[in-house]
Amino acid sequence: MPPKMNQVWKALQEKMSNKRTQQAIQPRKGAKGTAAPSDIIVQGLTAEPDNKQTFRPVQPREFAEFSSENLTPENLKIACAEHFGYPVGSCDVLVSNKGPSCTNINQILHPKDKVYHVRFVANLEQDEDERYQSLPMSAGSEQHRKPVKRAKIASEPVSPTKAAEVPPSYPASVSIEQLLNAGKFVKPVSTTKTVLNLESFDLLNKEWKTEKSLTLYVDDDKFASGAFRDAFKATAESGSQCKEKWVVKEYNGKSKKTIEDTLKTTVEIHTRKQVQMHTVARQLTKQFRTIVPEEFGQSFAYNKVFYSGFNGKPVTVEEFVSGQFTKYVNNDGKCIIPKADAHIEFKEIFDKAQCLVHYTSLITEEKLMLLDIQGSGYSLYDPEIATADLIDEGEIFFCCGNLSSTSIDTFKEDHLCNKYCDMVRKVLA
């Protein structure tokens, strides 16, 4: 291991040790000497102003983790979007609860409480051409073939002059096929109402913590299955102060047999280790996101995963991630190659995913490697971790997807360093 890399690793260990012993750590510096705190106070506001041109609070103020070294509007958006569980592109940081949108951190004056005001709006970063409303097509009607521009409601940052305008609203576009399909019987989805008591894993203190309870309507039929687990969609009870869509996952029959007969442990223990593993993956990815240079562009993130019990079975609970599923790196270390005709930005995600795997190996001195990189775009879920040593004191590290040195060696043989690896290597050098 290079001497400079060894210094980086030792500095990280010292920082982690300081956190455990609650020693004082010097505040990080942001742009132009602005202190970048580890936590910020955020106030979620309505997407639209009221008749007094004020953006009203939608919930009490909250602490949000701020992991970036630089205090900028862009990094504030990343932190707030991750905290509230919305896309980064939909986040708008306001100077005050009356606007306008913040473009420079020095525009925000905090004489007293240091609260950051944020709102989340749909399609904030879409191009103007993508905001067209498609009307139902009617044969022979040229008028219906032309897209009609929607008014720019909450699709652009707030300006002092435009805040007073009351924009018109439009009904959602519905195709003729959708209208006809509504004429046929649609069977209601069978669900089970349940209250799930959530637990999270504290990585630094190595302990389980009781979190909020969730009242969910869980679908009786699974919507997806993997090699080890079945996934069930769930919807939060109307009026609850949480995200609407969730996913409940449980181990299938085949994996349960492997857990009990081969690994000689219980399904509950293994499910808890699944949450522990996800917490490690989330921490590594957060750390990766803070060290990549600006030219790296968008990076990855994992949502928080909780442990709970449902129908007498141990389960994991997490927020639903919409979008098309894509696997970038296999559990066995094999790197997925995108199609030749894929869009360049889509191909870049595959290169960045390999870079993330490479980074986790470097930063842990090749003791472990984050694998099974998959999800929707940059929103990842269901990782696996391979360790150089499979067993310690008679217990297998992490979960049954740990293929140890087999998958680690496969990745090393299959991976070709790309420009993103070079960017990260320069940071760590």
Side-chain angles (χ1 to χ4, degrees), residues 239-309:
S240 60
Q241 299 296 316
C242 66
K243 301 298 182 294
E244 180 185 7
K245 296 182 179 180
W246 295 78
V247 178
V248 177
K249 298 177 182 177
E250 67 177 36
Y251 282 102
N252 57 37
K254 184 178 179 181
S255 59
K256 287 178 181 177
K257 184 174 178 61
T258 301
I259 291 169
E260 295 171 347
D261 296 347
T262 305
L263 302 182
K264 304 299 182 183
T265 186
T266 66
V267 177
E268 178 184 346
I269 290 176
H270 206 73
T271 305
R272 287 186 180 274
K273 288 180 70 175
Q274 180 77 35
V275 177
Q276 292 175 206
M277 179 182 66
H278 188 280
T279 306
V280 173
R282 190 166 183 255
Q283 175 63 30
L284 288 170
T285 308
K286 275 185 177 181
Q287 189 176 321
F288 177 74
R289 196 165 60 248
T290 61
I291 64 98
V292 295
E294 184 178 353
E295 59 266 28
F296 187 93
Q298 190 172 355
S299 188
F300 301 100
Y302 286 95
N303 285 333
K304 199 169 184 178
V305 171
F306 305 92
Y307 171 85
S308 189

Side-chain angles (χ1 to χ4, degrees), residues 4 12 55 82 95 102 104 126 215 226 231-232 258 272 328 335 338 344-345 352 361 375 394 410:
K4 290 186 178 180
L12 175 63
F55 295 88
E82 182 175 352
V95 173
C102 171
N104 186 302
Q126 278 189 323
T215 301
F232 300 81
T258 301
R272 287 186 180 274
Y328 307 109
C335 299
I344 183 63
E345 293 182 356
K352 290 180 179 180
S361 177
T410 299

Side-chain angles (χ1 to χ4, degrees), residues 192-196 214-218 234-237 246 248 317:
T192 299
K193 183 179 180 180
T194 185
V195 177
L196 298 181
L214 273 181
T215 301
L216 299 177
Y217 292 89
V218 184
T235 305
E237 187 175 41
W246 295 78
V248 177
V317 184

Side-chain angles (χ1 to χ4, degrees), residues 29-44:
K29 292 294 181 181
K32 298 182 180 180
T34 305
S38 58
D39 291 289
I40 56 175
I41 303 175
V42 293
Q43 174 70 74

Side-chain angles (χ1 to χ4, degrees), residues 105-353:
I105 197 65
N106 294 324
Q107 295 171 342
I108 303 178
L109 302 178
H110 295 305
K112 295 180 180 179
D113 50 10
K114 292 189 176 181
V115 177
Y116 295 97
H117 298 87
V118 296
R119 64 175 188 142
F120 292 91
V121 292
N123 304 327
L124 187 63
E125 291 187 343
Q126 278 189 323
D127 294 334
E128 189 173 279
D129 291 340
E130 293 177 339
R131 300 189 191 126
Y132 289 168
Q133 179 183 15
S134 300
L135 298 178
M137 298 295 288
S138 175
S141 174
E142 183 64 24
Q143 179 182 359
H144 285 171
R145 292 192 181 94
K146 294 180 180 179
V148 178
K149 282 190 178 181
R150 287 180 178 174
K152 297 178 182 178
I153 305 174
S155 300
E156 56 184 18
V158 181
S159 67
T161 56
K162 290 186 178 180
E165 299 177 4
V166 180
S169 60
Y170 293 87
S173 175
V174 181
S175 68
I176 293 177
E177 183 180 3
Q178 289 173 310
L179 295 172
L180 289 174
N181 286 338
K184 300 178 182 179
F185 172 70
V186 178
K187 183 180 179 181
V189 176
S190 177
T191 63
T192 299
K193 183 179 180 180
T194 185
V195 177
L196 298 181
N197 298 314
L198 305 183
E199 296 180 47
S200 64
F201 181 70
D202 187 329
L203 181 62
L204 293 180
N205 295 314
K206 197 179 176 181
E207 64 182 13
W208 288 91
K209 292 187 175 181
T210 301
E211 298 279 353
K212 59 188 176 183
S213 296
L214 273 181
T215 301
L216 299 177
Y217 292 89
V218 184
D219 290 0
D220 292 337
D221 297 326
K222 60 187 177 184
F223 79 97
S225 292
F228 303 112
R229 297 189 293 168
D230 296 329
F232 300 81
K233 285 184 180 179
T235 305
E237 187 175 41
S238 178
S240 60
Q241 299 296 316
C242 66
K243 301 298 182 294
E244 180 185 7
K245 296 182 179 180
W246 295 78
V247 178
V248 177
K249 298 177 182 177
E250 67 177 36
Y251 282 102
N252 57 37
K254 184 178 179 181
S255 59
K256 287 178 181 177
K257 184 174 178 61
T258 301
I259 291 169
E260 295 171 347
D261 296 347
T262 305
L263 302 182
K264 304 299 182 183
T265 186
T266 66
V267 177
E268 178 184 346
I269 290 176
H270 206 73
T271 305
R272 287 186 180 274
K273 288 180 70 175
Q274 180 77 35
V275 177
Q276 292 175 206
M277 179 182 66
H278 188 280
T279 306
V280 173
R282 190 166 183 255
Q283 175 63 30
L284 288 170
T285 308
K286 275 185 177 181
Q287 189 176 321
F288 177 74
R289 196 165 60 248
T290 61
I291 64 98
V292 295
E294 184 178 353
E295 59 266 28
F296 187 93
Q298 190 172 355
S299 188
F300 301 100
Y302 286 95
N303 285 333
K304 199 169 184 178
V305 171
F306 305 92
Y307 171 85
S308 189
F310 175 59
N311 285 341
K313 302 175 184 177
V315 296
T316 62
V317 184
E318 60 194 88
E319 294 173 21
F320 176 76
V321 177
S322 60
Q324 183 177 356
F325 168 82
T326 306
K327 187 181 284 282
Y328 307 109
V329 179
N330 262 332
N331 176 41
D332 60 4
K334 193 73 175 175
C335 299
I336 309 298
I337 306 300
K339 294 181 179 179
D341 59 350
H343 194 278
I344 183 63
E345 293 182 356
F346 184 64
K347 291 181 178 179
E348 288 177 348
I349 303 178
F350 288 80
D351 288 341
K352 290 180 179 180

Side-chain angles (χ1 to χ4, degrees), residues 9-27:
W9 178 247
K10 287 183 178 179
L12 175 63
Q13 286 182 314
E14 183 178 354
K15 184 177 179 181
M16 297 288 282
S17 177
N18 287 339
K19 284 186 177 181
R20 293 190 188 97
T21 56
Q22 297 184 347
Q23 294 177 359
I25 298 177
Q26 293 296 323

